[in-house]
Amino acid sequence: MRLHYNKFSRATRVRWLLEELGATYEINEVAFGPDGTRSMAHLEVHPLGKLPALTDDDGTHLFESSALVLHLADKYPGLAPAPGTSARGRYYQWVVYGVAELEAPVAEFFFATRVPEEQKDPARIAKAQADFDKVAAPVEAVLARHDWILGAEFSAADCVVGGVLTWADRMGMCEKFPAIHAYAGRCAARPAFKRGRQ
Ligand SMILES: N[C@@H](CCC(=O)N[C@@H](CS)C(=O)NCC(=O)O)C(=O)O
């Protein structure tokens, strides 16, 4: 199994999970740009030339970070509730919420703030923060009650939700959300999280 990866991409959440699971995998370091993500070789692995992607043991190429997390958590059991249970439903809920609701304003904030100072548009930045505040509020309520997104135990869903929220926290988006800020700290302190960002 080979993870197509670079440490400045969403591939870190997948590598974090692989480390949590103790899986054996290879890393294919792919730079952004014509010689990496845009190369013909990488376009055969990911049709949009993005990261992450995974070449599975049988040679199948897979992409979309949340799908890779769901697949790997089934392939190496231990970090996902049993299929067909309501706990599994809640697990899907938070994985999908992580990418469908939380991630868009975080990515927008990232792109709005990484331009030179004179090109920054305060209204665009404020809108991304306000959009994040709306979707972060339900997560703040959950994390005020327990340490991880599904409860007392860490799960693969934390690699998605925590992957997005550690990114938001690093950019200073979580100041109004003490429980999320503390959660981001717990995620970042995990040895597998650190190994997943080399
Ligand atoms: N929804 C995709 C997003 C993938 C994505 O946008 N990856 C970025 C890095 S985090 C990328 O490869 N960008 C390169 C590009 O767009 O050229 C996922 O979660 O896997």
Side-chain angles (χ1 to χ4, degrees):
M1 192 167 56
R2 185 177 314 122
L3 178 65
H4 306 272
Y5 172 88
N6 93 42
K7 67 177 174 184
F8 302 109
S9 77
R10 290 164 174 89
T12 49
R13 64 186 62 156
V14 180
R15 190 168 185 186
W16 175 17
L17 177 64
L18 285 165
E19 289 291 333
E20 295 281 358
L21 292 165
T24 301
Y25 63 95
E26 292 168 14
I27 285 289
N28 175 33
E29 293 268 358
V30 185
F32 289 121
D35 297 330
T37 48
R38 300 279 174 228
S39 65
M40 288 312 289
H42 187 67
L43 285 163
E44 277 173 28
V45 174
H46 192 308
L48 300 181
K50 291 188 172 189
L51 296 170
L54 183 83
T55 303
D56 214 343
D57 295 318
D58 65 358
T60 303
H61 300 312
L62 302 167
F63 54 89
E64 280 301 324
S65 59
S66 53
L68 302 184
V69 164
L70 292 169
H71 170 57
L72 292 168
D74 285 348
K75 184 164 171 157
Y76 301 95
L79 288 180
T85 62
S86 57
R88 180 75 168 203
R90 220 152 49 84
Y91 161 75
Y92 287 139
Q93 170 193 294
W94 286 121
V95 168
V96 174
Y97 192 85
V99 286
E101 298 287 357
L102 283 176
E103 190 161 68
V106 176
E108 170 62 5
F109 189 94
F110 172 77
F111 288 116
T113 52
R114 76 166 186 171
V115 295
E117 206 55 40
E118 64 279 8
Q119 287 172 27
K120 283 186 186 164
D121 174 355
R124 182 181 171 198
I125 296 169
K127 165 94 169 51
Q129 179 71 58
D131 289 347
F132 175 74
D133 292 353
K134 249 179 254 162
V135 293
V139 181
E140 175 72 9
V142 167
L143 293 172
R145 293 199 305 272
H146 40 68
D147 276 2
W148 303 106
I149 196 66
L150 295 189
E153 301 297 328
F154 179 88
S155 74
D158 291 298
C159 293
V160 175
V161 173
V164 175
L165 292 178
T166 50
W167 184 18
D169 195 54
R170 281 197 302 278
M171 296 191 291
M173 296 182 81
C174 301
E175 279 164 18
K176 285 177 224 132
F177 300 107
I180 290 179
H181 177 66
Y183 170 73
R186 276 193 297 282
C187 289
R190 292 180 76 85
F193 179 95
K194 293 178 193 158
R195 291 196 303 272
R197 308 183 66 83
Q198 300 167 53

